[in-house]
Amino acid sequence: MADSTSFQQSNSLAAFERAQKLLPGGVNSPARAFGAVGGKPLFIERAEGPYLFDIDGNQLIDYIGSWGPMIVGHAHPKVIEAIEAAVKKGTSYGAPTGAESELAELIVDSVPSVEKLRLVNSGTEATMSAIRLARGATGRNKVIKFSGNYHGHVDSLLVAAGSSAANLGVPDSPGVTPGTSQDTIILEHNELAAIQQAFRDHGDDLACVILEPIVGNMGCVPPKPGFLEGVRDLCTKHGAVLIFDEVMCGFRVALGGAQEVYGVTPDLTTMGKIVGGGLPLGVYGGKAELMDQVLPAGKVFQAGTLSGNPLATAAGMATLKLLRDESPYAYLEEQGARLAEGLAQAASAAEIPHQIQRVGSMMTLFFNAEPVHSWEQASKCDKELFGRYFWGLVHRGVYMPCSQYEALFFSSTHTPELIDKTIAAAGEVLKEIA
Ligand code: KE4
């Protein structure tokens, strides 16, 4: 374990200085800028297995895993081998390949509710396309989403809860027009009564409900018992499309994702992250009768120059084959339970109010005295304390997600020894910052 005195980041600071002259905030995605934890981001040189190596020579046990994709560890030999074989044949053709069907078959075999699918280039593209398909297929306009759920930077979903009476969204990001968000209804997550009311108010104009079946984007928030079943029943009753955004929990909590864990079947599923093995790839898929309404089979437009890219499909296929053939989920569950127990004991020993919420190898240590079932509770976490926890661990060679509102992930390459090292480091830090 790195001792907290050896850590330094002068090269990262210089790199960040340079990047800020070229990129807004010095990053290509805001989550990486450390805005939620303070300080300046670490610039990464390379990664292998459970480790990140930054440009100052710090070795870090990685609990972000590229925000989810790296479930089999960084630079897995079989994934690298698949990409190397693919790249020797070129990088993109703009024409169909057999590899796209092979990856599609792997996904269809893993996620029974997905009969047909489209490969796209990101989770955002997947959710944007699924919403458009739901609206095109039903001829309806309104969409229900839940506060604290994130579905990528889709204009119509970048809205915060608006006036409490109507619950109609209002633009949350400049550039999202009222015209775009007027059909978005924001509800409190895990609250069935609110959805029942929304269906009473808007039922015949509700195209879809989109949600993270296991929320990762306000920290890890599993569904309350009956919540997913209740949403499913309401969508069925009113003819609205149920979209499970499994970009994060897909292939993470089980080969069949959250819908396998909870036994609730959506009409459409969006995926990303793991399905691309760390390369740009997203998926939306579901019932054939729905997917066949996408151009050119149907009339709902969606397209992409690099959709089904040979390198991304190769990385995705290699990763899904590893998950199918080696099935690391029992191991991940066992190590997840140990890590959760260890972090909880460390926080209790430091007498810090906390909640540990976990599904498999995704979890969050909330600095909150109350369980977190929705954004209303999540927003009350001690974010300042989380920042000190994050940096205390970085100085000890452990790289947690840089926000209280993100889930941590670990891989099948995180050994029990590394889990124990992480728990020990967390114990030191939590005592220090309490
Ligand atoms: P991308 O467009 O970032 O591939 O996927 C968007 C997305 C959609 N749905 C869910 C449930 C997601 O979690 C995401 C992306 N997640 C964030 C962090 N939780 C990615 C990190 C980032 O934005 O840099």
Side-chain angles (χ1 to χ4, degrees), residues 33 52 55 97 124 129 194 229 268 320 351 409:
L52 291 173
I55 61 174
T97 64
T124 295
S129 307
E229 295 80 354
L268 290 177
L320 295 197
E351 296 178 356
F409 307 100

Side-chain angles (χ1 to χ4, degrees), residues 102-328:
E102 195 181 340
L103 175 57
E105 281 167 352
L106 265 171
I107 296 165
V108 165
D109 289 349
S110 306
V111 189
S113 73
V114 176
E115 297 170 345
K116 276 192 170 181
L117 58 93
R118 252 290 156 83
L119 302 177
V120 293
N121 299 286
S122 68
T124 295
E125 256 196 273
T127 57
M128 175 175 66
S129 307
I131 297 274
R132 184 180 311 128
L133 173 56
R135 285 173 159 159
T138 60
R140 299 177 181 181
N141 301 320
K142 293 211 177 329
V143 172
I144 287 178
K145 81 170 284 281
F146 298 90
S147 49
N149 283 227
Y150 173 70
H151 305 291
H153 61 97
V154 186
D155 271 9
S156 60
L157 300 179
L158 275 184
V159 288
S163 58
S164 54
N167 262 337
L168 282 184
V170 292
D172 190 22
S173 162
V176 175
T177 64
T180 309
S181 57
Q182 66 186 11
D183 288 322
T184 306
I185 300 169
I186 315 289
L187 300 177
E188 198 64 27
H189 195 74
N190 268 323
E191 294 303 325
L192 261 186
I195 310 169
Q196 287 157 344
Q197 185 57 50
F199 269 97
R200 278 193 289 273
D201 296 345
H202 306 281
D204 55 0
D205 193 24
L206 268 172
C208 61
V209 176
I210 184 168
L211 75 159
E212 295 180 63
I214 302 163
V215 184
N217 285 290
M218 54 176 144
C220 181
V221 176
K224 274 184 182 172
F227 176 67
L228 297 179
E229 295 80 354
V231 179
R232 172 67 280 171
D233 292 346
L234 282 165
C235 286
T236 303
K237 181 179 168 193
H238 292 271
V241 174
L242 176 57
I243 302 172
F244 273 12
D245 178 357
E246 298 221 34
V247 165
M248 187 184 286
C249 47
F251 302 105
R252 167 59 61 180
V253 297
L255 195 61
Q259 55 197 272
E260 176 184 313
V261 172
Y262 296 101
V264 176
T265 301
D267 301 307
L268 290 177
T269 301
T270 55
M271 303 171 208
K273 298 180 190 277
I274 290 172
V275 76
L279 267 65
L281 193 149
V283 177
Y284 70 104
K287 289 177 178 169
E289 73 191 52
L290 268 176
M291 291 306 296
D292 279 339
Q293 299 195 44
V294 177
L295 207 70
K299 298 192 176 341
V300 178
F301 189 82
Q302 179 263 310
T305 303
L306 297 175
S307 295
N309 172 272
L311 308 192
T313 50
M317 253 190 299
T319 301
L320 295 197
K321 283 177 182 170
L322 284 164
L323 294 175
R324 179 195 63 190
D325 301 342
E326 296 181 2
S327 188

